[in-house]
Amino acid sequence: MPPAPPTPPRSQAGLHAGSNAGLQAGSDPEPQAATAPDTPRTRGNAWMIQRDGSALRYLSDQYRGQLMGYEERERLTLAQTPPLALAMLSFGDMRSSPRTLPERFDYHVVNQHLSGAAPDLAARSQAVLTQMHARRDGLAFRTVLAIEAQQPGLTLAEAAPDAPLAATLNDQLATGAQALSRWQKHLHVDRIDLSLLSGAPDTDEAQADAHYARTALWLGRAVAATTGQASVPHIVVAQSAGTRDDGTSGVILAEARLDLDHPTLKFIVATPGYPYGFLPGMPATHDATSAALMDEIKVLAVRQTQQGTPWRCPSLSLVHPDGDELRAHFITDAGLAFDPDEPHGFALHGCDNGAQITGVRVMRGPPIVRIFCDKAPTGAALSLSYAWGATADGQQDRAANRGGLRDTWQADSLAVPGHVLRRYALSGLQKVVTG
């Protein structure tokens, strides 16, 4: 792209600094007198206007005063980007409220009709945050389709390949791919945000695991068939938190092991949900800030995986006794640590001698947590949980399941400036192994 000319003084028709007064992608301008065929549909400044058949290309500062290249076709405006466009899909449960995003990238993040009016839910949030992190790291922007197929209280049958929700997703994706082809762009779905079984929390662990695997398999194949891409997308999951008063769902345990138990399905278990707050008055719906933070961790998890480094939240894998202690082993790629302001999150199950946990400590070196008890716990079905199986009175601002264990990874948030993102341990349950 040729270098931009010096920015002239802004007229009253231009953008105010820091605002987005220009037209959103896919919107119509206000009536203007004698608009010439080669006049861009913008109230921002425009330079280097070129007509190429049905396309009008130019430079403009119409998005937040930032100088970028634009292209207009069929009364739509998109930012100029490479020919390969991405799609980010969200399928399944609607478990969180609309996000409050720092900005919208109206000309880069669009729906299946290439309009910037996509809803501020999981897909758009992750698309916008992907652009923000790309800008911070000096990487190129992409055109991204943000497609949502969600409904609250989803059951097993409602997530089946022959159910209406699946048809909704496929229709939107096909519409988007066709629309982009008229802009000489090819579409590639790089991720599906998958959330299942909020309407069936009593599903046992084995059944939940099988349901997630079946759904991921048919979704990946269906998406690849619609777009013609050679590879299936990553399936990114945020582990369920449970509700304000009950954290005993087997679905939570199944979600913790999806990447380990189904390595060929490209699962990424990005974060647990228990560290994040709920919307007031709702039993299990994350608030807007929490939802945005979880979306940002998903963005970073997918990006790290695509760069060749697996993303692993600490995961409880083995528990064995050592005198009056239990040793809890974790799968992790970084050192373990506790947040001092959070409860440790460990609990005994199936203990028949009344033993109580008196303290916990992370060992130096290996990823092992020492669980101190007032006496050696016993029981034929003795198990240890982390951030799982809790009950509460429902008055707190988050799930009954709580825990402060994490690894040493951290990153500054762009979604919520001043917040530090951390990779918390997944909720889990393991039988104590003796011998």
Side-chain angles (χ1 to χ4, degrees), residues 18 52 57 77 87 126 173 199 218 226 228 231 244 259 279 289 308 319 337 349 354 365 388 406:
D52 180 9
R57 300 185 179 93
T77 303
Q126 291 178 50
L173 187 59
W218 73 254
T226 299
S231 61
R244 291 177 188 270
D259 55 345
L279 195 65
T289 298
V319 183
H349 302 263
W388 182 85
R406 56 178 176 80

Side-chain angles (χ1 to χ4, degrees), residues 139-391:
L139 302 176
F141 294 151
R142 297 264 186 192
T143 297
V144 182
L145 259 60
I147 294 178
E148 309 278 352
Q150 300 183 11
Q151 70 180 56
L154 197 71
T155 64
L156 281 81
E158 290 168 335
D162 57 351
L165 196 64
T168 297
L169 181 73
N170 191 66
D171 289 348
Q172 291 183 77
L173 187 59
T175 298
Q178 184 178 18
L180 284 169
S181 69
R182 297 194 292 271
W183 291 64
Q184 288 77 55
K185 292 183 184 294
H186 302 285
L187 184 62
H188 178 87
V189 178
D190 79 333
R191 77 197 64 186
I192 303 174
D193 186 317
L194 185 61
S195 177
L196 302 174
L197 295 171
S198 71
D202 295 333
T203 305
D204 66 39
E205 182 179 353
Q207 189 178 16
D209 174 81
H211 178 59
Y212 260 101
R214 287 194 302 268
T215 304
L217 183 62
W218 73 254
L219 269 175
R221 290 175 174 176
V223 161
T226 299
T227 63
Q229 63 193 64
S231 61
V232 298
H234 287 286
I235 308 293
V236 61
V237 174
Q239 186 189 34
S240 307
T243 67
R244 291 177 188 270
D245 57 5
D246 189 353
T248 60
S249 173
V251 177
I252 301 172
L253 300 177
E255 290 168 337
R257 295 189 54 83
L258 290 173
D259 55 345
L260 299 174
D261 291 343
H262 306 285
T264 62
L265 294 180
K266 301 178 72 172
F267 277 110
I268 302 172
V269 185
T271 182
Y274 66 81
Y276 299 98
F278 287 162
L279 195 65
M282 300 298 290
T285 302
H286 285 103
D287 61 38
T289 298
S290 295
L293 291 171
M294 295 169 70
D295 287 335
E296 188 167 17
I297 293 179
K298 292 174 185 177
V299 165
L300 296 175
V302 172
R303 181 173 175 182
Q304 178 172 307
T305 302
Q306 291 174 338
Q307 292 173 343
T309 302
W311 176 276
R312 290 190 181 93
C313 297
S315 177
L316 181 63
S317 64
L318 174 68
V319 183
H320 66 84
D322 186 2
D324 292 348
E325 299 179 20
L326 296 177
R327 301 290 177 96
H329 297 245
F330 281 79
I331 299 171
T332 181
D333 291 330
L336 296 176
F338 276 104
D339 277 352
D341 297 330
E342 293 290 336
H344 59 70
F346 289 94
L348 297 173
H349 302 263
C351 180
D352 61 11
N353 69 342
Q356 299 292 319
I357 295 175
T358 59
V360 301
R361 182 184 302 164
V362 172
M363 292 184 64
R364 292 185 179 181
I368 298 174
V369 178
R370 299 174 67 185
I371 313 296
F372 301 101
C373 301
D374 57 2
K375 58 184 173 182
T378 61
L382 182 64
S383 299
L384 180 74
S385 69
Y386 170 74
W388 182 85
T391 57

Side-chain angles (χ1 to χ4, degrees), residues 87-106:
M88 298 181 185
L89 315 184
S90 178
F91 181 85
D93 295 327
M94 187 178 291
R95 286 182 178 170
S96 54
S97 52
R99 285 65 164 159
T100 302
L101 299 172
E103 57 181 296
R104 292 184 54 82
F105 282 92
D106 304 276

